[in-house]
Amino acid sequence: LPLFERLERRIVDGERPGLEADLDLALTERPALEIINDTLLAGMKTVGELFGSGQMQLPFVLQSAEVMKAAVAHLEPHMEKSDSEGKGTIVLATVKGDVHDIGKNLVDIILSNNGYTVVNLGIKQPISTILSAAEEHHAHAVGMSGLLVKSTVIMKENLQEMNSRGLAARLPVLLGGAALTRSYVENDLSDVYDGRVSYARDAFEGLRLMDATMA
Ligand code: B1M
């Protein structure tokens, strides 16, 4: 297979040996971010479709995710970094009950490379932990990721909790993850939080929204 198809295939097949060599080769032709966005994420999309239609079993999905993570880790040092720093602090977490973190970690990389301090709490984080971290780090925003449909319900509860703690005036919220839709966030979730709630389709929209929030 040609290089970029082979790389995409590696994600789908969860094939790690030789990954780094292929990525190094790919880097001579395309920037790191383009490799992630156009090639690796296309592979993850196929994994999702195969899994969703019952053609792929969970252990293989896990292998694909591990190859994806290794690929991103290998590419990260090659990503463009802006000179700006100190643009603000965001606490980032995957919500309670949800283990998916590839997207969240991409958001971390993109924001960190573009001048933000990111406090990445990891997966399965209850709102109490997220809010303690936000207070401790004087965060300017909270970012929540979730890929399961049940995570959208958790996000709603989290926003209600934030509202009842009176955080709306000072803590804007950024939401993302495959289970969400723009209309669910903008219509249903915005209603439960008196502060700013924004939906980011991908990590770059997350960056644009953070820039807009901090402006
Ligand atoms: Co899971 N899984 N999974 N899974 N998994 C999904 C989400 C699913 C859609 C697959 C499917 O059925 N087609 C489905 C959810 C269905 C539903 O809820 N209705 C599903 C399921 C069912 C499950 C389990 C329940 C399976 C089981 O155990 N029977 C289980 C859940 C465990 C749990 O969470 N409690 C499970 C487990 C796993 C693995 C552990 C095997 C693995 C995760 C490994 C890991 O993350 N470390 C996994 C994977 C890999 C997937 C799919 C195939 C791929 C997810 C991914 O990494 N995509 C996924 C299929 C899909 O999403 N369609 C699926 C790439 C990633 C870059 O995309 O995270 O969406 P994403 O991030 C994007 C944007 O959404 C956005 O930016 C990124 C791009 O730039 N974004 C943000 C994300 N977060 C953001 C936050 C922001 C801003 C933007 O600001 C804060």
Side-chain angles (χ1 to χ4, degrees):
L1 283 180
L3 176 61
F4 290 93
E5 281 171 46
R6 191 162 76 228
L7 269 172
E8 186 175 331
R9 203 65 232 170
R10 282 181 175 283
I11 301 293
V12 179
D13 295 343
E15 196 189 314
R16 176 77 196 263
L19 173 72
E20 282 79 2
D22 271 357
L23 289 171
D24 288 339
L25 216 53
L27 280 168
T28 63
E29 290 184 40
R30 292 181 194 170
L33 261 179
E34 204 175 305
I35 302 171
I36 294 181
N37 281 333
D38 297 352
T39 303
L40 306 181
L41 285 184
M44 282 312 287
K45 188 165 176 271
T46 304
V47 171
E49 285 161 5
L50 290 172
F51 182 45
S53 63
Q55 295 174 73
M56 191 171 183
Q57 300 306 310
L58 198 62
F60 297 99
V61 179
L62 195 57
Q63 269 180 32
S64 295
E66 271 159 17
V67 174
M68 177 74 193
K69 285 186 155 196
V72 172
H74 190 75
L75 293 174
E76 192 186 346
H78 299 278
M79 281 186 213
E80 245 175 76
K81 291 181 183 60
S82 80
D83 292 333
S84 56
E85 52 179 281
K87 290 210 294 199
T89 299
I90 179 167
V91 166
L92 197 60
T94 301
V95 299
K96 188 174 80 177
D98 195 324
V99 303
H100 298 88
D101 65 354
I102 295 173
K104 166 184 69 64
N105 293 341
L106 281 178
V107 174
D108 180 351
I109 291 170
I110 299 299
L111 290 178
S112 302
N113 284 349
N114 287 282
Y116 288 94
T117 302
V118 178
V119 181
N120 187 341
L121 299 176
I123 58 172
K124 296 207 251 178
Q125 293 300 317
I127 187 65
S128 55
T129 312
I130 296 172
L131 294 181
S132 304
E135 195 175 307
E136 185 190 335
H137 297 278
H138 307 288
H140 301 94
V142 161
M144 294 189 261
S145 179
L147 268 73
L148 301 172
V149 169
K150 70 173 188 191
S151 298
T152 64
V153 179
I154 302 284
M155 286 178 183
K156 191 171 196 168
E157 290 168 9
N158 289 353
L159 289 169
Q160 281 159 345
E161 174 67 19
M162 290 179 73
N163 227 19
S164 69
R165 292 200 197 184
L167 295 169
R170 58 191 165 92
L171 265 188
V173 177
L174 185 64
L175 300 175
L180 292 169
T181 61
R182 188 174 302 282
S183 72
Y184 179 71
V185 174
E186 289 175 359
N187 303 324
D188 298 54
L189 293 185
S190 296
D191 275 358
V192 301
Y193 192 53
D194 297 330
R196 186 166 177 165
V197 185
S198 318
Y199 167 73
R201 196 180 62 88
D202 57 29
F204 297 98
E205 193 176 4
L207 173 62
R208 281 195 298 279
L209 288 165
M210 277 304 290
D211 285 346
T213 301
M214 298 308 294

